[in-house]
Amino acid sequence: MRKWMMGATAALAGVGLLAGCSNGSDAGGGDVTLTYGVWSQDETMQELIDTFEADNPGIHVELQVSPWNEFWTKLQVAAQGGTAPDAFWMLGDKFQVYASNDQLLPLSDAISDAGVDTSVYPEALVDLFTYDDELYGLPKDFDTVGLWYNKELFDAQSVDYPTSDWTWADVRKAAEELTSPDESVYGIAAPLNRQEGFYNTVAQAGGHIIDGEASGYDDQKTQAGIAFWTDFIADGYSPTLQEFADTEAVAQFENGSVAMYYGGSFYAQRFYDNAELRDKIDVAVLPAGDERATVINGIQNVGYAGSEHTEELEKFLVFLGSEEAAAIQAETGAVIPAYEGTQQAWVDAMPEFNLQAFIDQVPDGVVYPVSANTAAWNALEDEMLPDAWNGAKPVSEVADELAAAMNDALAKE
């Protein structure tokens, strides 16, 4: 599994990311104000800030919320222009771009000085936010991927529910049995998804997306992980890419037209809030291929290298990665907090679902594959892989061509 990791690793009125990092002390009081950029807000965020401020008199934190569809554009411009927030949320697939351009505050020394034991977080998340042996953040929350299934549809065809012992062969057998002759119900959804789809099965096959500075798409094991999905469409057990373009895969699972869906833990709250769906579905760990694996991803709190208050910023970032902060987040049930031992509140928040399945897979977590310019080869995946999903070309041919194009892109990083 380590091979996989080698490449890694409601807006507020009048407030936006471009407001930038604080540039001095508050008038008359000598206090410091830090800015904190996020893409969503609830009472938990303010509770975190209030708790930190109570323990750190003289340090104030101003929350800046930008909607998801604006957050990254604003952050890119602000980081380049020297006006980024002092602290902000970061995702693994974006991280190396900022770290490699010296826009993030190195935190290894601050984490060590604070006595933080990073083993309390999933190892894959720590690896994901490490660049050139330097750690730039502490995990906030994480998500893994599970096999969601519709119990009603399974019962109708007398198919046994998925268990932790399921393998790829079991998924395939169930998909065949659950697919109706008139295709009003498909056994499984096989969309062209990275985090929830083929990145998992590539790892389960023993393959890899990127190894150092080289593509793994020309590896036969990688190609087997892709063929896991394309075979479902070719055999008529899944809707086609065009059908997914018309109605996204998760929506087809929700409306009962597909019986199984590889979906992230982040869908738990959405499914739970759907009163008509809640009692019909459940989730299990991902079926095993040659290996057990699930993509693990999450949000980290990072700091801006251009902040004028690095000492105070380091204190805030260390707090955000603490057990106390994780416990506050766990109370909402919205996300799985990254700190070990604080996840039970999330599991208990939706007892109708076997949410423990997502926690149980943490030891099998593999890092979402990234590099310093992930966007370049992600674009190549988007451009070339549909030919395999549509059956226009064999998986091996598409993957070999993708590997060559990806290696060219990596050589330019």
Side-chain angles (χ1 to χ4, degrees):
M1 295 295 184
R2 297 300 97 188
K3 188 176 186 182
W4 181 279
M5 299 179 183
M6 290 177 65
T9 200
L12 296 177
V15 177
L17 272 173
L18 293 179
C21 55
S22 54
N23 56 14
S25 300
D26 291 346
D31 292 348
V32 165
T33 296
L34 301 174
T35 50
Y36 183 23
V38 302
W39 58 73
S40 67
Q41 182 201 13
D42 55 32
E43 64 274 8
T44 304
M45 300 305 301
Q46 192 58 52
E47 185 176 352
L48 287 170
I49 290 172
D50 292 344
T51 301
F52 174 77
E53 290 179 343
D55 293 337
N56 294 273
I59 306 178
H60 303 293
V61 180
E62 175 187 303
L63 190 64
Q64 299 184 344
V65 186
S66 290
W68 169 263
N69 59 352
E70 300 176 10
F71 181 91
W72 296 108
T73 300
K74 288 183 175 182
L75 180 61
Q76 180 181 6
V77 172
Q80 293 173 347
T83 60
D86 295 288
F88 48 92
W89 285 354
M90 177 57 61
L91 290 176
D93 59 337
K94 310 282 189 182
F95 160 71
Q96 287 201 18
V97 174
Y98 291 89
S100 64
N101 284 290
D102 299 321
Q103 294 170 331
L104 301 183
L105 180 69
L107 289 178
S108 292
D109 288 345
I111 290 169
S112 176
D113 291 345
V116 176
D117 177 8
T118 57
S119 70
V120 299
Y121 312 106
E123 180 184 359
L125 283 187
V126 176
D127 289 348
L128 183 58
F129 282 82
T130 300
Y131 181 78
D132 283 348
D133 298 322
E134 181 70 50
L135 187 57
Y136 287 86
L138 289 175
K140 171 188 177 291
D141 57 65
F142 71 90
D143 45 71
T144 56
V145 181
L147 175 58
W148 292 94
Y149 61 96
N150 187 309
K151 295 183 291 185
E152 256 191 6
L153 296 177
F154 272 70
D155 292 342
Q157 299 302 321
S158 300
V159 177
D160 292 337
Y161 298 160
T163 71
S164 59
D165 296 325
W166 265 32
T167 66
W168 284 8
D170 295 305
V171 181
R172 181 169 183 81
K173 181 174 182 292
E176 180 180 6
E177 294 173 344
L178 292 162
T179 299
S180 61
D182 63 359
E183 297 183 343
S184 59
V185 174
Y186 288 98
I188 193 167
L192 207 171
N193 279 352
R194 295 186 183 91
Q195 180 178 351
E196 297 175 89
F198 69 93
Y199 280 3
N200 298 277
T201 51
V202 164
Q204 291 170 359
H208 60 287
I209 300 299
I210 181 171
D211 183 355
E213 296 301 316
S215 171
Y217 276 105
D218 51 1
D219 187 317
Q220 290 184 354
K221 293 180 179 179
T222 301
Q223 295 173 8
I226 295 171
F228 173 86
W229 296 102
T230 59
D231 286 349
F232 283 127
I233 294 179
D235 293 337
Y237 303 152
S238 165
T240 64
L241 276 191
Q242 182 56 56
E243 289 172 306
F244 289 131
D246 295 337
T247 305
E248 62 176 345
V250 65
Q252 293 196 43
F253 176 71
E254 288 176 302
N255 68 27
S257 59
V258 296
M260 293 183 289
Y261 176 68
Y262 276 47
S265 51
F266 41 80
Y267 279 123
Q269 191 71 58
R270 168 172 166 172
F271 293 161
Y272 190 79
D273 289 343
N274 185 335
E276 293 184 3
L277 180 68
R278 183 189 307 161
D279 293 333
K280 298 179 182 179
I281 67 170
D282 206 347
V283 65
V285 300
L286 290 184
D290 291 338
E291 305 177 15
R292 284 204 170 276
T294 178
V295 169
I296 187 169
N297 203 353
I299 297 174
Q300 300 243 2
N301 290 289
V302 299
Y304 181 48
S307 172
E308 297 184 7
H309 304 293
T310 56
E311 181 179 349
E312 293 84 359
L313 176 56
E314 288 171 350
K315 286 184 179 180
F316 182 51
L317 292 171
V318 169
F319 163 75
L320 290 175
S322 68
E323 182 176 10
E324 181 180 12
I328 292 172
Q329 293 179 93
E331 293 174 358
T332 68
V335 296
I336 311 175
Y339 201 100
E340 186 178 31
T342 64
Q343 292 102 14
Q344 192 59 45
W346 180 77
V347 173
D348 293 343
M350 292 166 273
E352 288 87 347
F353 298 156
N354 176 32
L355 297 185
Q356 185 62 39
F358 293 106
I359 310 299
D360 289 345
Q361 293 184 97
V362 170
D364 302 316
V366 295
V367 172
Y368 189 98
V370 296
S371 73
N373 190 13
T374 310
W377 48 269
N378 278 173
L380 293 171
E381 292 171 328
D382 293 340
E383 175 187 346
M384 302 175 75
L385 285 176
D387 279 346
W389 260 255
N390 289 328
K393 294 181 180 179
V395 168
S396 58
E397 181 180 344
V398 172
D400 285 345
E401 292 173 352
L402 175 55
M406 183 172 167
N407 283 330
D408 287 343
L410 290 168
K412 299 174 183 177
E413 289 190 350

